Amino acid sequence: MANPPSDRTAHTRVPIHPDIAGRWSPRAFDPSAELDDEQLTAVLEAARWAASWGGRQPVRFVVGRRGDSTFEALGGLLRRGNSYARGASALILVCADEGDDERTARYAALDAGAAIATMSVEAVSRSLIIHPMAGFDVEASRQSFGIPEGVIPLAVVAIGRIGDYSRADEAVVERDSRPRERLPLELVAFAGTWGNPAL
């Protein structure tokens, strides 16, 4: 890999788990890297064992590996700005089954977010990169994969190995080189009353 972006580790007030601090969303994938069965199974198992409200387990996955028809279909659903993800080793469509009651419907997307988070940490622990994307054709995904009513396609997740930034598109290099930023903790964690910093 040539010319990778500078250190992407999250800057935190206190140390956090290295795989969480090291997780970011690169756009330059190595188009020759393959995921073996163990790697792909591990990220899916991590997602399967994410926290789930009431044990409902509403999250479902459509999994494509580079070279298979599912991958090609998922790649074709991506919006133009996410075309870089076609260089990934795998594309995974994350869906949430809203179930038969209002509370399951409300928390299904929360469970999907938890699944993507645990999938991400597992990927980083295996020296893989991962990039979740909302930019895809939801309705076309329903038709392509026969997704039933009540199941909501939420995100496509690209997984693979980091690519060569000296060969990456200029826009990708520019976006991936921007400083990593998050709102400061005092603007997101409150105690007592809204807006009063917890720490």
Side-chain angles (χ1 to χ4, degrees), residues 74-104:
L74 286 168
L77 297 171
L78 297 174
R79 300 287 185 213
R80 192 174 64 141
N82 290 330
S83 60
Y84 60 83
R86 292 187 185 117
S89 304
L91 294 173
I92 300 173
L93 176 63
V94 180
C95 304
D97 185 339
E98 294 192 305
D100 300 323
D101 63 272
E102 184 180 326
R103 293 205 322 171
T104 298

Side-chain angles (χ1 to χ4, degrees), residues 5 26-29 81 84 165 168-177:
R27 293 173 181 84
F29 286 87
Y84 60 83
Y165 274 84
D169 182 89
E170 201 172 294
V172 165
V173 175
E174 191 277 325
R175 288 174 77 185
D176 284 7
S177 298

Side-chain angles (χ1 to χ4, degrees), residues 49-176:
W49 283 97
S52 178
W53 175 78
R56 301 294 173 94
Q57 302 175 59
V59 187
R60 300 291 181 268
F61 309 97
V62 177
V63 182
R65 281 174 153 165
R66 188 191 309 110
D68 70 21
S69 60
T70 302
F71 184 97
E72 292 306 314
L74 286 168
L77 297 171
L78 297 174
R79 300 287 185 213
R80 192 174 64 141
N82 290 330
S83 60
Y84 60 83
R86 292 187 185 117
S89 304
L91 294 173
I92 300 173
L93 176 63
V94 180
C95 304
D97 185 339
E98 294 192 305
D100 300 323
D101 63 272
E102 184 180 326
R103 293 205 322 171
T104 298
R106 180 182 307 133
Y107 292 112
L110 179 68
D111 283 8
I116 291 172
T118 54
M119 176 188 289
S120 298
V121 174
E122 183 63 32
V124 172
S125 78
R126 292 172 175 271
S127 300
L128 301 170
I129 62 170
I130 186 165
H131 194 124
M133 300 162 285
F136 70 101
D137 189 328
V138 172
E139 287 311 310
S141 73
R142 288 183 176 287
Q143 295 171 10
S144 292
F145 303 112
I147 297 171
E149 286 299 317
V151 178
I152 311 300
L154 292 171
V156 176
V157 179
I159 302 175
R161 296 211 179 267
I162 201 158
D164 184 346
Y165 274 84
S166 70
R167 296 178 182 216
D169 182 89
E170 201 172 294
V172 165
V173 175
E174 191 277 325
R175 288 174 77 185
D176 284 7

